[in-house]
Amino acid sequence: MLIRILGAAAGGGFPQWNCSCRNCADVRAGKPGFRARTQCSLAVSANGSDWVLLNTAPDLRQQINETPELGARADGGLRNSPIKAAVLTGGDVDFIAGLLNLRELQPFTVYGSSRVLATLKANSVFNVLDASVVPRRELPLGAATAIDGAGRDTGLVIEAFAVPGKIALYLESSAASDNYGSREGDAIGLKITAPATGKSFFYVPGCAVVDEDLAGRLSGAPLVFFDGTLYTDDEMIRQGLMKKTGARMGHISISGPEGSIASFEKLNVQRKIYVHINNSNPVLDDNSPERRATEAAGWEVGYDGMEIRL
């Protein structure tokens, strides 16, 4: 199984278009130790020729152009694509907006929870993906689903499961008393398996807390891509970027007694990689003490183009 990080940044990318925080200023200036990143998405293939996208970032066209394996092939006819499916883990703009880049009547299948599919249905702009060409299929929670698209079996099976999180910002209800209207399926994690080899990994780009159920699922996993949005819960407030904590946005912090480093300490995960990293996060600086602490704890900081083979 081949896995490629197409984008490792959170919404807005790195640098963010309208941000002059220290990190964004330094990456624009080309300061050593900083690397630009597009918004969060992965691509995975069981055979090296048929690919499945895990979330579709607004930067998807750029990501495809920078990944030769995802481009049209010279021997495939005038119009062709190795992208056979897209699996969505939430309704956030940075997870679904990239679908609009794939509107050229190219067959593939969109998978998502019932909540995510309802969001797509409620927004008529997504009708540019003709349902007769690009079907939408529910990814039921807790069940193994064989992923296919354009008439091909991709050789991958995905199990979706609910994780603690929050409904997308633009869908929040101020009248709701239960976490702004969040319900099961607004945030999901994925277990991706290639049955031919038995290899598997987890993708959890958005998560509020590692609860008992999630810890049990991830325990002993060979590879986990996990939410690395913020290093500390209040970093955006302290930097003057936003008046929201990470917890308010539905994201666990990297550091702290209830952060992801501490939460994973006893899970015996063999390889741990942070994705969905916000532009405010000091781990984006290769030379920061926060980066050193993160790596000392056994974590890697994901970057665009990073490739993993299982």
Side-chain angles (χ1 to χ4, degrees):
M1 190 157 41
L2 178 60
I3 308 154
R4 186 181 295 272
I5 296 180
L6 301 181
F14 180 59
Q16 184 171 302
W17 69 279
N18 67 338
C19 187
S20 60
C21 71
R22 184 72 272 153
N23 277 351
C24 287
D26 285 343
V27 73
R28 284 195 186 96
K31 184 176 178 180
F34 288 86
R35 183 197 302 248
R37 289 165 168 85
T38 58
Q39 294 167 89
C40 189
S41 182
L42 263 64
V44 57
S45 177
N47 57 21
S49 58
D50 299 314
W51 289 83
V52 175
L53 304 179
L54 306 182
N55 288 331
T56 58
D59 311 301
L60 183 57
R61 180 181 179 277
Q62 174 186 344
Q63 293 169 345
I64 291 173
N65 286 340
E66 293 177 353
T67 309
E69 296 89 340
L70 298 183
R73 294 165 183 164
D75 60 355
L78 288 178
R79 295 288 179 94
N80 68 89
S81 172
I83 297 171
K84 305 305 179 186
V87 181
L88 309 175
T89 68
D92 296 86
V93 171
D94 48 319
F95 289 170
I96 67 175
L99 289 174
L100 301 178
N101 290 283
L102 305 177
R103 64 187 184 275
E104 314 297 344
L105 291 177
Q106 182 65 43
F108 70 100
T109 303
V110 175
Y111 291 87
S113 70
S114 59
R115 292 279 280 171
V116 172
L117 295 185
T119 298
L120 298 182
K121 184 177 181 180
N123 287 268
S124 59
V125 67
F126 290 103
N127 290 339
V128 298
L129 297 172
D130 187 331
S132 68
V133 178
V134 183
R136 302 174 188 176
R137 296 182 183 168
E138 183 177 352
L139 198 63
L141 300 179
T145 301
I147 304 300
D148 60 49
R152 294 181 63 86
D153 178 0
T154 66
L156 296 171
V157 170
I158 292 182
E159 178 187 355
F161 50 91
V163 299
K166 190 183 71 61
I167 196 169
L169 175 64
Y170 67 95
L171 296 173
E172 285 184 4
S173 170
S174 58
S177 59
D178 55 339
N179 196 17
Y180 306 96
S182 302
R183 294 189 303 190
E184 185 178 68
D186 284 325
I188 63 173
L190 305 174
K191 181 181 181 181
I192 300 93
T193 302
T197 63
K199 301 291 187 179
S200 65
F201 70 96
F202 288 87
Y203 179 55
V204 188
C207 181
V209 64
V210 178
D211 61 10
E212 184 176 350
D213 179 72
L214 182 57
R217 287 181 181 276
L218 302 183
S219 182
L223 172 64
V224 176
F225 294 91
F226 195 76
D227 185 348
T229 307
L230 302 178
Y231 191 78
T232 55
D233 189 54
D234 65 345
E235 73 184 43
M236 296 188 74
I237 297 174
R238 287 187 290 102
Q239 294 181 34
L241 299 174
M242 185 180 286
K243 296 180 180 180
K244 292 181 179 179
T245 63
R248 166 64 179 83
M249 296 185 291
H251 294 289
I252 190 173
S253 299
I254 290 176
S255 65
E258 297 182 356
S260 52
I261 287 179
S263 297
F264 272 73
E265 279 183 349
K266 298 180 180 180
L267 299 187
N268 194 32
V269 174
Q270 296 174 36
R271 190 171 183 185
K272 309 178 290 277
I273 302 174
Y274 282 123
V275 291
H276 199 269
I277 307 161
N278 197 61
N279 63 78
S280 60
N281 196 324
V283 301
L284 291 171
D285 178 358
D286 293 351
N287 303 308
S288 68
E290 293 87 354
R291 178 64 167 267
R292 290 192 292 271
T294 298
E295 292 177 341
W299 284 81
E300 299 173 64
V301 176
Y303 57 87
D304 293 21
M306 186 177 188
E307 184 177 292
I308 299 95
R309 292 179 180 270
L310 286 179

